[in-house]
Amino acid sequence: MINITPTIGFVSLGCPKNLVDSERILTELRTQGYQVVPSYDNADLVIVNTCGFIDSAVQESLEAIGEALHENGKVIVTGCLGAKEDQIRKIHPKVLEISGPHSYETVLNHVNKYAPKPTYDPYTSLIPAQGVKLTPKHYAYLKISEGCDHRCTFCIIPSLRGDMVSRPIGNVLDEAKRLAESGVKELLVIAQDTSAYGADLKNRTGFWNGMPVKTDIQTLCEQLSSLGIWVRLHYMYPYPHVDKLIPLMAEGKILPYLDVPLQHASPAILKSMKRPGSIERTLERIHKWREICPEITLRSTFIVGFPGETDEDFELLLNFLAEARLDRVGCFTYSAIEGAAANDLANQVPEEIKQERFHRFMQVQQRISTEKLAGKIGKTLSVIIDEVDEEGAIGRSMADAPEIDGVVYLNEEFSVKVGDIVNVLIEHSDEYDLWGSLIN
């Protein structure tokens, strides 16, 4: 009897944390013997892993569900927007099943229901030790916890993903080791609140390779540094204990890169956002970090046009940018999210003022970025190669995370391969990117 292997189409939307969820679901599907296909036409079933963080992401998710229904007709929905089943059913009543974020077992049960599990032969259906990845072979996201304990008024992540739950440190390190052994050269450590890793477990001692290891971000970074690959930290709240990570960067154990989502600089707006920390203490900490590790790259994100933001509040934000001189900055205009507490705040800012502040913010930061990158001309940087096309190679320095930061162009350089880490002499810059030549 011939066993026909069911085929599954997969659409993954949203942030890197959602991408990791998609990789886990795909790995489990492959483990059960399903075949994942890149089109709707050949799929027995389509899974859409949705994002529901902001209105534009909700709209994108709803459109993706509609497209999958139109092109295939048999659709299972999961992810953040899946927590709002009524909203999905109202627009797409023909969806087969809906589940919320990190509902791996539920998704697999739904798949088994509509596309019965195939006969699995471990000798012909091998799964790579690192599992199925949606990123290029040379870098990977390492999610260390799920959920968040903060209650920021502009955010609905806790209602979608729950309070923070840290993964056992032994499991995290096992995954990191498998990824390194598979050829990954760069790990991007992520969570909703990465620097709080282990707090929910009271930083209890776990075990890895037969050794006791404390469940906290410092110990995790120390252990990851033994893998001999780039380790990059994202979504780090500036808690005091983050100071202990900076010497690890200065010693070259982890990348001198810190992504700290500050969101604003006005005390009144931060209070209204229910954001932790003090901008004065954050500035002091930034100065201290740069004293310990002068090469550190600091990235952050900010929101302009938050309800109640006055001209004075916005000027405080611009003044902070000028003093902090952050290396990489993202800016968003405030967008109301269904279910967010900030929707009910007084003094909503008109859209035209939001846009005007966004452009002023970006002009200030572009000047800072242009000056900082110009200072790298004449320096030799380590660069990881992401792409080689007809014009040459494109890579990233230690100061650049994939997808969100700048790149380094090596025009007419074809001797390198994707995943190589090479030395590059920087010769030119603009407000975001660098150009250079390979040094043998």
Side-chain angles (χ1 to χ4, degrees), residues 67-83:
E67 179 181 333
L69 283 168
H70 180 265
E71 297 293 333
N72 183 277
K74 293 165 287 187
V75 177
I76 289 173
V77 174
T78 189
C80 288
L81 187 59

Side-chain angles (χ1 to χ4, degrees), residues 116-133:
K117 192 187 307 184
T119 302
Y120 175 64
D121 183 350
Y123 296 102
T124 61
S125 304
L126 299 177
I127 305 298
Q130 75 274 17
V132 176
K133 289 175 66 265

Side-chain angles (χ1 to χ4, degrees), residues 415-433:
S415 66
V416 295
K417 303 187 300 295
V418 171
D420 285 350
I421 297 179
V422 297
N423 291 324
V424 175
L425 175 65
I426 302 303
E427 299 166 332
H428 177 67
S429 68
D430 64 11
E431 58 265 50
Y432 297 119
D433 302 316

Side-chain angles (χ1 to χ4, degrees), residues 109-255:
N109 288 339
H110 290 160
V111 172
N112 297 159
K113 176 180 176 181
Y114 294 98
K117 192 187 307 184
T119 302
Y120 175 64
D121 183 350
Y123 296 102
T124 61
S125 304
L126 299 177
I127 305 298
Q130 75 274 17
V132 176
K133 289 175 66 265
L134 297 176
T135 50
K137 183 179 179 181
H138 62 288
Y139 70 82
Y141 294 99
L142 182 69
K143 185 159 68 170
I144 62 176
S145 68
E146 186 60 80
C148 185
D149 290 339
H150 296 295
R151 296 296 183 265
C152 303
T153 56
F154 56 81
C155 181
I156 58 171
I157 288 294
S159 65
L160 296 176
R161 293 181 173 261
D163 291 337
M164 188 180 77
V165 178
S166 298
R167 294 178 59 195
I169 191 166
N171 292 1
V172 174
L173 292 170
D174 281 341
E175 180 182 348
K177 184 179 179 182
R178 288 194 301 271
L179 289 167
E181 290 173 345
S182 76
V184 166
K185 303 287 185 67
E186 176 183 10
L187 283 177
L188 299 103
V189 181
I190 59 172
Q192 263 76 37
D193 182 1
T194 305
S195 44
Y197 174 67
D200 57 312
L201 302 176
K202 297 185 174 17
N203 304 120
R204 69 183 178 215
T205 299
F207 290 89
W208 187 56
N209 285 347
M211 302 181 304
V213 283
K214 189 177 180 181
T215 306
D216 63 27
I217 190 64
Q218 180 183 355
T219 305
L220 177 63
C221 288
E222 289 170 348
Q223 296 299 323
L224 291 175
S225 71
S226 69
L227 299 176
I229 60 178
W230 286 12
V231 176
R232 189 183 301 277
L233 301 177
H234 285 278
Y235 316 122
M236 299 284 292
Y237 279 77
Y239 303 131
H241 68 262
V242 172
D243 295 354
K244 298 177 182 178
L245 302 178
I246 311 305
L248 299 180
M249 298 178 183
E251 295 163 14
K253 292 184 175 180
I254 60 176
L255 291 185

Side-chain angles (χ1 to χ4, degrees), residues 111-408:
V111 172
N112 297 159
K113 176 180 176 181
Y114 294 98
K117 192 187 307 184
T119 302
Y120 175 64
D121 183 350
Y123 296 102
T124 61
S125 304
L126 299 177
I127 305 298
Q130 75 274 17
V132 176
K133 289 175 66 265
L134 297 176
T135 50
K137 183 179 179 181
H138 62 288
Y139 70 82
Y141 294 99
L142 182 69
K143 185 159 68 170
I144 62 176
S145 68
E146 186 60 80
C148 185
D149 290 339
H150 296 295
R151 296 296 183 265
C152 303
T153 56
F154 56 81
C155 181
I156 58 171
I157 288 294
S159 65
L160 296 176
R161 293 181 173 261
D163 291 337
M164 188 180 77
V165 178
S166 298
R167 294 178 59 195
I169 191 166
N171 292 1
V172 174
L173 292 170
D174 281 341
E175 180 182 348
K177 184 179 179 182
R178 288 194 301 271
L179 289 167
E181 290 173 345
S182 76
V184 166
K185 303 287 185 67
E186 176 183 10
L187 283 177
L188 299 103
V189 181
I190 59 172
Q192 263 76 37
D193 182 1
T194 305
S195 44
Y197 174 67
D200 57 312
L201 302 176
K202 297 185 174 17
N203 304 120
R204 69 183 178 215
T205 299
F207 290 89
W208 187 56
N209 285 347
M211 302 181 304
V213 283
K214 189 177 180 181
T215 306
D216 63 27
I217 190 64
Q218 180 183 355
T219 305
L220 177 63
C221 288
E222 289 170 348
Q223 296 299 323
L224 291 175
S225 71
S226 69
L227 299 176
I229 60 178
W230 286 12
V231 176
R232 189 183 301 277
L233 301 177
H234 285 278
Y235 316 122
M236 299 284 292
Y237 279 77
Y239 303 131
H241 68 262
V242 172
D243 295 354
K244 298 177 182 178
L245 302 178
I246 311 305
L248 299 180
M249 298 178 183
E251 295 163 14
K253 292 184 175 180
I254 60 176
L255 291 185
Y257 181 101
L258 206 56
D259 177 1
V260 187
L262 297 173
Q263 307 300 359
H264 215 281
S266 161
I269 297 300
L270 287 171
K271 182 179 180 181
S272 185
M273 289 179 167
K274 292 191 176 178
R275 293 289 291 180
S278 157
I279 284 299
E280 289 75 17
R281 286 197 295 270
T282 298
L283 278 171
E284 292 173 4
R285 192 160 286 130
I286 287 172
H287 295 320
K288 181 180 178 182
W289 292 345
R290 287 175 170 153
E291 288 176 4
I292 298 170
C293 182
E295 298 303 313
I296 192 170
T297 295
L298 297 175
R299 150 168 274 283
S300 191
T301 51
F302 296 89
I303 298 172
V304 297
F306 189 80
E309 183 188 62
T310 63
D311 289 341
E312 182 182 1
D313 293 322
F314 182 65
E315 290 299 328
L316 287 174
L317 177 55
L318 296 184
N319 292 340
F320 172 80
L321 281 184
E323 185 170 355
R325 291 182 61 81
L326 302 173
D327 302 88
R328 300 295 194 190
V329 171
C331 181
F332 303 91
T333 58
Y334 172 74
S335 172
I337 305 169
E338 184 179 349
N343 297 345
D344 299 325
L345 294 176
N347 301 316
Q348 298 284 324
V349 178
E351 190 61 36
E352 60 272 19
I353 295 179
K354 292 181 188 177
Q355 293 300 324
E356 186 267 339
R357 289 175 181 173
F358 170 81
H359 291 298
R360 286 182 60 196
F361 179 103
M362 292 307 300
Q363 286 172 358
V364 171
Q365 184 56 36
Q366 282 172 358
R367 287 196 295 271
I368 295 169
S369 179
T370 299
E371 292 169 4
K372 288 210 156 211
L373 291 181
K376 297 186 179 185
I377 295 175
K379 294 184 178 181
T380 298
L381 303 180
S382 293
V383 171
I384 188 167
I385 303 299
D386 285 336
E387 181 182 354
V388 180
D389 61 19
E390 67 277 3
E391 296 183 2
I394 304 172
R396 291 175 291 106
S397 73
M398 292 183 180
D400 304 302
E403 307 293 337
I404 57 173
D405 293 332
V407 297
V408 181

